[in-house]
Every structure is written in structure tokens, then in C-alpha cells.
Amino acid sequence: MNTNDYIIRPEEKDDHREVENLVREAFWNVYRPGCSEHYVIHVLRDDPAFVRELDLVMEQNGRLIGQNMFMKTVIDADDGRTVPVLTMGPIGITPELWRRGYGKAILDYSLEKAAGLGYGAVLFEGAIGFYGKSGFDYARKFGIRYHDLPEGADDSFFLCKELIPGYLEGITGVYQTPRGYYVDDANVEEFDKSFPPKEKLKLPGQIFSD
Ligand SMILES: CC(C)(COP(=O)(O)OP(=O)(O)OC[C@H]1O[C@@H](n2cnc3c(N)ncnc32)[C@H](O)[C@@H]1OP(=O)(O)O)[C@@H](O)C(=O)NCCC(=O)NCCS
């Protein structure tokens, strides 16, 4: 990748529709037939937990090719403390540019920016194959459990990175997904009608197959 061929900058109001379309293209049929992430970001921008300073887009030749965003949330610690942390995503790169390093570039940039703002840790659901390269590890190694997960269930999707080294030391507890991420399917359907028609396909597996 030519590291000079893009800029990363804050998302502006005028970008909203283009970013939603980019996210729709990136997530379409990846995790389910169609996707909900374009509606999720539409809703999250107005959520009190949304971190405006970390709402970032990647631009190349005047076109948006990537985005990432963060939300504030907490770990309910077993000792009764409430530990503020960040969660992340959706993060997306325009599909024709996958596997060229752009995803890692915006991810690393935004994590550095989050660290610079003083946030202590980021936890979220993702695939270690991609995020491991940016310093994420399984959240269980930090003693953090995913909410509502039955005992013994696979938790390898649940990842964590400390932005302040040692931030989670001495803490065990349960991570909470911000409520804003839970959207109503009917609202997704309705919102999706405002975009060009796109075929929903049931596809085996997911993108992180290797
Ligand atoms: C996930 C996503 C943001 C990655 O962006 P990207 O620009 O393709 O990623 P990069 O090129 O920076 O990848 C960096 C490394 O991560 C790993 N990686 C990235 N995509 C991968 C994939 N599909 N399968 C396995 N490993 C992958 C690879 O090790 C890669 O390095 P390599 O290409 O030298 O092997 C992009 O594929 C995307 O938008 N996907 C759809 C939306 C999505 O799933 N978002 C994440 C939700 S958790």
C-alpha cells in the first residue's frame, strides 16, 4: 500500500450518507443475508455514548473508502466497581480495496487517537486474525467476560486491547455492549429501502475463514 494515498479525518455531517452506503457495501451478506450495520451507525451517531472525536473516515482521491467509530461503555467489575472502557465499530473498508492494509491503517490510527484521549481499554466482538495484528487479545485473558454468555460457551470472538498498559490489572468482571447497537429488524428494513436495491444472499461461512 502507498501510505500517502489516503487521509484519515473526522466524519462530517455531509459524509453521513456516503459512509452509510460504504458500510452497507462492506457488510452486505458478510455476517447475514443483507446487513444492519448501516442503520446501526445511523442510530449510534445520536447516542449519548457515541465518541464524536473518534468518528473517523478514510478518504482517497475525494472518495470515502473506510470508516471506524467508538462508543463508551463499562465493565461491571466483580468487586462492585464500574470500569469505563470503549467499544468499537462498525469498522469497514470498501470491498474492492480489502486486503491492502487500509483496514489495519484506520484501525491503528483510531486506537492511537483513542489512547491519546486517555481511554484505558477497548473491548468488542471481532476476529483475532485481523485484530490480533493490532494488539488485541482474547478478553478472557484479561479476566473479562462477555455479558449473557452461557458458562463454557466459545468466547473467542470477544477481544480486548489495553490502551493504558495495566488498565485492567486486578479487574475481573462483565463487559456490557452499549444498548445502541441493538436495533430493530423492522427499522433496518425500512431504512434499507432508501438505498439502491441489493440482493440478500444466504452464504456459508464468514469472511475470516482462514
Ligand atoms: C475487516 C476489514 C475492515 C479489514 O480491512 P482490510 O483493509 O481488508 O484489512 P487489511 O488489509 O488491513 O488486513 C490486515 C491483516 O488482517 C488480516 N485479515 C484481514 N482481512 C482478513 C480476512 N478476510 N481473512 C483473514 N485475515 C484477514 C490479514 O492478516 C491481513 O494482512 P494480510 O492481507 O497481509 O494477510 C474489511 O475486510 C471489511 O470492511 N470487512 C467487512 C466488514 C467487517 O467485517 N468489519 C469488521 C467487523 S468485526
mmCIF file of all heavy atoms in Angstrom, residues 5-9 15 18-19 21-22 25 57-67 93-98 100 102:
data_model
loop_
_atom_site.group_PDB
_atom_site.id
_atom_site.type_symbol
_atom_site.label_atom_id
_atom_site.label_comp_id
_atom_site.label_asym_id
_atom_site.label_seq_id
_atom_site.Cartn_x
_atom_site.Cartn_y
_atom_site.Cartn_z
ATOM 1 N N ASP A 5 -1.495 7.596 -0.026
ATOM 2 C CA ASP A 5 -2.607 7.734 -0.969
ATOM 3 C C ASP A 5 -3.976 7.862 -0.281
ATOM 4 O O ASP A 5 -4.999 7.713 -0.905
ATOM 5 C CB ASP A 5 -2.601 6.593 -2.000
ATOM 6 C CG ASP A 5 -3.098 5.279 -1.430
ATOM 7 O OD1 ASP A 5 -3.237 5.175 -0.196
ATOM 8 O OD2 ASP A 5 -3.356 4.370 -2.241
ATOM 9 N N TYR A 6 -3.975 8.169 1.018
ATOM 10 C CA TYR A 6 -5.255 8.374 1.715
ATOM 11 C C TYR A 6 -5.043 9.365 2.851
ATOM 12 O O TYR A 6 -3.907 9.619 3.266
ATOM 13 C CB TYR A 6 -5.790 7.060 2.291
ATOM 14 C CG TYR A 6 -4.894 6.490 3.360
ATOM 15 C CD1 TYR A 6 -5.011 6.908 4.687
ATOM 16 C CD2 TYR A 6 -3.914 5.553 3.054
ATOM 17 C CE1 TYR A 6 -4.170 6.413 5.668
ATOM 18 C CE2 TYR A 6 -3.068 5.059 4.030
ATOM 19 C CZ TYR A 6 -3.205 5.493 5.331
ATOM 20 O OH TYR A 6 -2.363 5.016 6.297
ATOM 21 N N ILE A 7 -6.177 9.922 3.317
ATOM 22 C CA ILE A 7 -6.118 10.677 4.577
ATOM 23 C C ILE A 7 -7.162 10.086 5.512
ATOM 24 O O ILE A 7 -8.158 9.502 5.055
ATOM 25 C CB ILE A 7 -6.362 12.195 4.395
ATOM 26 C CG1 ILE A 7 -7.722 12.452 3.712
ATOM 27 C CG2 ILE A 7 -5.247 12.840 3.597
ATOM 28 C CD1 ILE A 7 -8.201 13.891 3.884
ATOM 29 N N ILE A 8 -6.924 10.217 6.792
ATOM 30 C CA ILE A 8 -7.933 9.825 7.791
ATOM 31 C C ILE A 8 -8.339 11.111 8.488
ATOM 32 O O ILE A 8 -7.490 11.896 8.912
ATOM 33 C CB ILE A 8 -7.360 8.809 8.797
ATOM 34 C CG1 ILE A 8 -6.943 7.531 8.069
ATOM 35 C CG2 ILE A 8 -8.395 8.490 9.882
ATOM 36 C CD1 ILE A 8 -6.181 6.526 8.915
ATOM 37 N N ARG A 9 -9.648 11.351 8.551
ATOM 38 C CA ARG A 9 -10.135 12.610 9.119
ATOM 39 C C ARG A 9 -11.464 12.371 9.831
ATOM 40 O O ARG A 9 -12.092 11.312 9.629
ATOM 41 C CB ARG A 9 -10.299 13.658 8.008
ATOM 42 C CG ARG A 9 -11.302 13.249 6.925
ATOM 43 C CD ARG A 9 -11.710 14.434 6.079
ATOM 44 N NE ARG A 9 -12.616 14.079 4.987
ATOM 45 C CZ ARG A 9 -13.922 13.891 5.113
ATOM 46 N NH1 ARG A 9 -14.521 13.993 6.296
ATOM 47 N NH2 ARG A 9 -14.670 13.578 4.060
ATOM 48 N N ASP A 15 -20.869 13.756 5.162
ATOM 49 C CA ASP A 15 -20.378 12.418 4.804
ATOM 50 C C ASP A 15 -21.386 11.318 5.152
ATOM 51 O O ASP A 15 -21.221 10.175 4.724
ATOM 52 C CB ASP A 15 -19.097 12.070 5.600
ATOM 53 C CG ASP A 15 -17.958 13.034 5.351
ATOM 54 O OD1 ASP A 15 -17.798 13.452 4.204
ATOM 55 O OD2 ASP A 15 -17.236 13.334 6.320
ATOM 56 N N GLU A 18 -22.842 8.915 2.500
ATOM 57 C CA GLU A 18 -21.779 8.171 1.800
ATOM 58 C C GLU A 18 -21.181 7.100 2.724
ATOM 59 O O GLU A 18 -20.887 5.982 2.293
ATOM 60 C CB GLU A 18 -20.689 9.143 1.315
ATOM 61 C CG GLU A 18 -19.703 8.508 0.347
ATOM 62 C CD GLU A 18 -18.646 9.491 -0.165
ATOM 63 O OE1 GLU A 18 -18.807 10.720 0.003
ATOM 64 O OE2 GLU A 18 -17.646 9.008 -0.741
ATOM 65 N N VAL A 19 -21.025 7.445 3.992
ATOM 66 C CA VAL A 19 -20.468 6.487 4.952
ATOM 67 C C VAL A 19 -21.451 5.330 5.173
ATOM 68 O O VAL A 19 -21.060 4.154 5.227
ATOM 69 C CB VAL A 19 -20.118 7.180 6.293
ATOM 70 C CG1 VAL A 19 -19.746 6.168 7.356
ATOM 71 C CG2 VAL A 19 -18.973 8.168 6.080
ATOM 72 N N ASN A 21 -23.593 4.233 3.094
ATOM 73 C CA ASN A 21 -23.557 3.400 1.893
ATOM 74 C C ASN A 21 -22.293 2.534 1.854
ATOM 75 O O ASN A 21 -22.342 1.357 1.495
ATOM 76 C CB ASN A 21 -23.660 4.279 0.647
ATOM 77 C CG ASN A 21 -24.100 3.482 -0.546
ATOM 78 O OD1 ASN A 21 -25.107 2.768 -0.482
ATOM 79 N ND2 ASN A 21 -23.326 3.513 -1.612
ATOM 80 N N LEU A 22 -21.194 3.112 2.263
ATOM 81 C CA LEU A 22 -19.928 2.371 2.330
ATOM 82 C C LEU A 22 -20.049 1.199 3.317
ATOM 83 O O LEU A 22 -19.649 0.069 3.021
ATOM 84 C CB LEU A 22 -18.820 3.336 2.768
ATOM 85 C CG LEU A 22 -17.538 2.799 3.388
ATOM 86 C CD1 LEU A 22 -16.779 1.915 2.413
ATOM 87 C CD2 LEU A 22 -16.644 3.944 3.813
ATOM 88 N N GLU A 25 -22.187 -1.499 1.844
ATOM 89 C CA GLU A 25 -21.437 -2.291 0.851
ATOM 90 C C GLU A 25 -20.461 -3.252 1.547
ATOM 91 O O GLU A 25 -20.289 -4.393 1.145
ATOM 92 C CB GLU A 25 -20.657 -1.363 -0.096
ATOM 93 C CG GLU A 25 -21.520 -0.528 -1.026
ATOM 94 C CD GLU A 25 -22.327 -1.370 -2.010
ATOM 95 O OE1 GLU A 25 -21.826 -2.415 -2.450
ATOM 96 O OE2 GLU A 25 -23.458 -0.963 -2.323
ATOM 97 N N VAL A 57 -13.179 8.797 9.190
ATOM 98 C CA VAL A 57 -13.311 8.255 7.836
ATOM 99 C C VAL A 57 -11.952 8.289 7.144
ATOM 100 O O VAL A 57 -11.080 9.095 7.495
ATOM 101 C CB VAL A 57 -14.347 9.026 6.979
ATOM 102 C CG1 VAL A 57 -15.753 8.857 7.539
ATOM 103 C CG2 VAL A 57 -13.994 10.511 6.853
ATOM 104 N N MET A 58 -11.826 7.411 6.157
ATOM 105 C CA MET A 58 -10.609 7.350 5.352
ATOM 106 C C MET A 58 -10.993 7.789 3.935
ATOM 107 O O MET A 58 -11.968 7.273 3.372
ATOM 108 C CB MET A 58 -10.136 5.903 5.351
ATOM 109 C CG MET A 58 -8.804 5.670 4.728
ATOM 110 S SD MET A 58 -8.390 3.916 4.946
ATOM 111 C CE MET A 58 -6.795 4.040 5.693
ATOM 112 N N GLU A 59 -10.243 8.760 3.407
ATOM 113 C CA GLU A 59 -10.598 9.328 2.105
ATOM 114 C C GLU A 59 -9.446 9.127 1.132
ATOM 115 O O GLU A 59 -8.284 9.306 1.480
ATOM 116 C CB GLU A 59 -10.867 10.837 2.308
ATOM 117 C CG GLU A 59 -11.327 11.539 1.066
ATOM 118 C CD GLU A 59 -11.586 13.031 1.331
ATOM 119 O OE1 GLU A 59 -12.068 13.401 2.411
ATOM 120 O OE2 GLU A 59 -11.272 13.809 0.419
ATOM 121 N N GLN A 60 -9.804 8.739 -0.078
ATOM 122 C CA GLN A 60 -8.791 8.548 -1.130
ATOM 123 C C GLN A 60 -9.304 9.207 -2.408
ATOM 124 O O GLN A 60 -10.403 8.864 -2.876
ATOM 125 C CB GLN A 60 -8.599 7.047 -1.363
ATOM 126 C CG GLN A 60 -7.509 6.711 -2.355
ATOM 127 C CD GLN A 60 -7.410 5.213 -2.529
ATOM 128 O OE1 GLN A 60 -8.382 4.567 -2.918
ATOM 129 N NE2 GLN A 60 -6.245 4.659 -2.253
ATOM 130 N N ASN A 61 -8.565 10.117 -2.951
ATOM 131 C CA ASN A 61 -8.967 10.828 -4.170
ATOM 132 C C ASN A 61 -10.401 11.365 -4.089
ATOM 133 O O ASN A 61 -11.192 11.185 -5.015
ATOM 134 C CB ASN A 61 -8.857 9.900 -5.394
ATOM 135 C CG ASN A 61 -7.449 9.370 -5.555
ATOM 136 O OD1 ASN A 61 -6.492 10.063 -5.254
ATOM 137 N ND2 ASN A 61 -7.336 8.123 -5.998
ATOM 138 N N GLY A 62 -10.739 11.946 -2.957
ATOM 139 C CA GLY A 62 -12.058 12.552 -2.799
ATOM 140 C C GLY A 62 -13.183 11.563 -2.541
ATOM 141 O O GLY A 62 -14.346 11.957 -2.417
ATOM 142 N N ARG A 63 -12.866 10.276 -2.430
ATOM 143 C CA ARG A 63 -13.891 9.245 -2.206
ATOM 144 C C ARG A 63 -13.647 8.611 -0.845
ATOM 145 O O ARG A 63 -12.489 8.370 -0.466
ATOM 146 C CB ARG A 63 -13.750 8.184 -3.301
ATOM 147 C CG ARG A 63 -14.763 7.070 -3.234
ATOM 148 C CD ARG A 63 -14.622 6.161 -4.450
ATOM 149 N NE ARG A 63 -13.504 5.240 -4.336
ATOM 150 C CZ ARG A 63 -13.634 3.911 -4.292
ATOM 151 N NH1 ARG A 63 -14.831 3.367 -4.362
ATOM 152 N NH2 ARG A 63 -12.579 3.133 -4.212
ATOM 153 N N LEU A 64 -14.726 8.317 -0.119
ATOM 154 C CA LEU A 64 -14.560 7.662 1.177
ATOM 155 C C LEU A 64 -14.390 6.157 0.967
ATOM 156 O O LEU A 64 -15.183 5.521 0.267
ATOM 157 C CB LEU A 64 -15.754 7.958 2.080
ATOM 158 C CG LEU A 64 -15.952 9.446 2.387
ATOM 159 C CD1 LEU A 64 -17.096 9.651 3.363
ATOM 160 C CD2 LEU A 64 -14.670 10.080 2.927
ATOM 161 N N ILE A 65 -13.339 5.609 1.554
ATOM 162 C CA ILE A 65 -13.054 4.175 1.357
ATOM 163 C C ILE A 65 -13.024 3.393 2.678
ATOM 164 O O ILE A 65 -12.849 2.182 2.669
ATOM 165 C CB ILE A 65 -11.704 3.963 0.625
ATOM 166 C CG1 ILE A 65 -10.539 4.541 1.448
ATOM 167 C CG2 ILE A 65 -11.742 4.563 -0.775
ATOM 168 C CD1 ILE A 65 -9.178 3.988 1.032
ATOM 169 N N GLY A 66 -13.199 4.103 3.803
ATOM 170 C CA GLY A 66 -13.178 3.387 5.077
ATOM 171 C C GLY A 66 -13.721 4.240 6.201
ATOM 172 O O GLY A 66 -13.824 5.469 6.079
ATOM 173 N N GLN A 67 -14.108 3.580 7.266
ATOM 174 C CA GLN A 67 -14.613 4.300 8.444
ATOM 175 C C GLN A 67 -14.417 3.454 9.699
ATOM 176 O O GLN A 67 -14.292 2.235 9.633
ATOM 177 C CB GLN A 67 -16.086 4.682 8.277
ATOM 178 C CG GLN A 67 -17.048 3.572 7.985
ATOM 179 C CD GLN A 67 -17.284 2.589 9.120
ATOM 180 O OE1 GLN A 67 -17.118 1.362 8.959
ATOM 181 N NE2 GLN A 67 -17.659 3.092 10.267
ATOM 182 N N ILE A 93 -14.162 -1.245 5.312
ATOM 183 C CA ILE A 93 -13.383 -0.772 4.166
ATOM 184 C C ILE A 93 -14.177 -1.164 2.917
ATOM 185 O O ILE A 93 -14.787 -2.243 2.874
ATOM 186 C CB ILE A 93 -11.984 -1.443 4.135
ATOM 187 C CG1 ILE A 93 -11.148 -1.021 5.349
ATOM 188 C CG2 ILE A 93 -11.240 -1.165 2.819
ATOM 189 C CD1 ILE A 93 -10.716 0.441 5.386
ATOM 190 N N THR A 94 -14.140 -0.306 1.936
ATOM 191 C CA THR A 94 -14.874 -0.586 0.704
ATOM 192 C C THR A 94 -14.365 -1.913 0.094
ATOM 193 O O THR A 94 -13.158 -2.141 0.011
ATOM 194 C CB THR A 94 -14.765 0.627 -0.245
ATOM 195 O OG1 THR A 94 -15.800 0.574 -1.186
ATOM 196 C CG2 THR A 94 -13.432 0.721 -0.923
ATOM 197 N N PRO A 95 -15.282 -2.846 -0.256
ATOM 198 C CA PRO A 95 -14.874 -4.218 -0.587
ATOM 199 C C PRO A 95 -13.805 -4.349 -1.660
ATOM 200 O O PRO A 95 -12.923 -5.196 -1.551
ATOM 201 C CB PRO A 95 -16.172 -4.877 -1.048
ATOM 202 C CG PRO A 95 -17.243 -4.112 -0.344
ATOM 203 C CD PRO A 95 -16.737 -2.702 -0.229
ATOM 204 N N GLU A 96 -13.815 -3.493 -2.676
ATOM 205 C CA GLU A 96 -12.801 -3.662 -3.736
ATOM 206 C C GLU A 96 -11.392 -3.329 -3.260
ATOM 207 O O GLU A 96 -10.428 -3.575 -3.975
ATOM 208 C CB GLU A 96 -13.188 -2.929 -5.023
ATOM 209 C CG GLU A 96 -13.384 -1.436 -4.955
ATOM 210 C CD GLU A 96 -14.775 -0.982 -4.495
ATOM 211 O OE1 GLU A 96 -15.504 -1.745 -3.834
ATOM 212 O OE2 GLU A 96 -15.124 0.178 -4.805
ATOM 213 N N LEU A 97 -11.266 -2.790 -2.043
ATOM 214 C CA LEU A 97 -9.932 -2.452 -1.518
ATOM 215 C C LEU A 97 -9.523 -3.310 -0.316
ATOM 216 O O LEU A 97 -8.574 -2.971 0.396
ATOM 217 C CB LEU A 97 -9.874 -0.963 -1.146
ATOM 218 C CG LEU A 97 -10.019 0.016 -2.308
ATOM 219 C CD1 LEU A 97 -10.032 1.460 -1.804
ATOM 220 C CD2 LEU A 97 -8.876 -0.160 -3.322
ATOM 221 N N TRP A 98 -10.238 -4.404 -0.092
ATOM 222 C CA TRP A 98 -9.881 -5.271 1.032
ATOM 223 C C TRP A 98 -8.496 -5.876 0.827
ATOM 224 O O TRP A 98 -8.031 -6.069 -0.307
ATOM 225 C CB TRP A 98 -10.891 -6.414 1.174
ATOM 226 C CG TRP A 98 -12.199 -5.993 1.783
ATOM 227 C CD1 TRP A 98 -12.510 -4.754 2.295
ATOM 228 C CD2 TRP A 98 -13.378 -6.787 1.908
ATOM 229 N NE1 TRP A 98 -13.814 -4.748 2.727
ATOM 230 C CE2 TRP A 98 -14.373 -5.982 2.506
ATOM 231 C CE3 TRP A 98 -13.705 -8.110 1.570
ATOM 232 C CZ2 TRP A 98 -15.658 -6.465 2.788
ATOM 233 C CZ3 TRP A 98 -14.978 -8.582 1.853
ATOM 234 C CH2 TRP A 98 -15.943 -7.764 2.450
ATOM 235 N N ARG A 100 -5.491 -4.784 1.486
ATOM 236 C CA ARG A 100 -4.385 -3.938 1.035
ATOM 237 C C ARG A 100 -3.826 -3.095 2.176
ATOM 238 O O ARG A 100 -3.108 -2.128 1.934
ATOM 239 C CB ARG A 100 -4.852 -3.009 -0.082
ATOM 240 C CG ARG A 100 -5.270 -3.775 -1.300
ATOM 241 C CD ARG A 100 -5.525 -2.825 -2.435
ATOM 242 N NE ARG A 100 -6.286 -3.522 -3.463
ATOM 243 C CZ ARG A 100 -6.592 -3.002 -4.624
ATOM 244 N NH1 ARG A 100 -6.202 -1.781 -4.919
ATOM 245 N NH2 ARG A 100 -7.288 -3.686 -5.491
ATOM 246 N N TYR A 102 -5.553 -1.135 4.298
ATOM 247 C CA TYR A 102 -6.308 0.058 4.698
ATOM 248 C C TYR A 102 -7.032 -0.160 6.027
ATOM 249 O O TYR A 102 -7.119 0.744 6.862
ATOM 250 C CB TYR A 102 -7.308 0.463 3.609
ATOM 251 C CG TYR A 102 -6.657 0.945 2.340
ATOM 252 C CD1 TYR A 102 -6.721 0.193 1.169
ATOM 253 C CD2 TYR A 102 -5.967 2.152 2.310
ATOM 254 C CE1 TYR A 102 -6.117 0.628 -0.006
ATOM 255 C CE2 TYR A 102 -5.358 2.604 1.142
ATOM 256 C CZ TYR A 102 -5.437 1.836 -0.013
ATOM 257 O OH TYR A 102 -4.836 2.282 -1.159
#
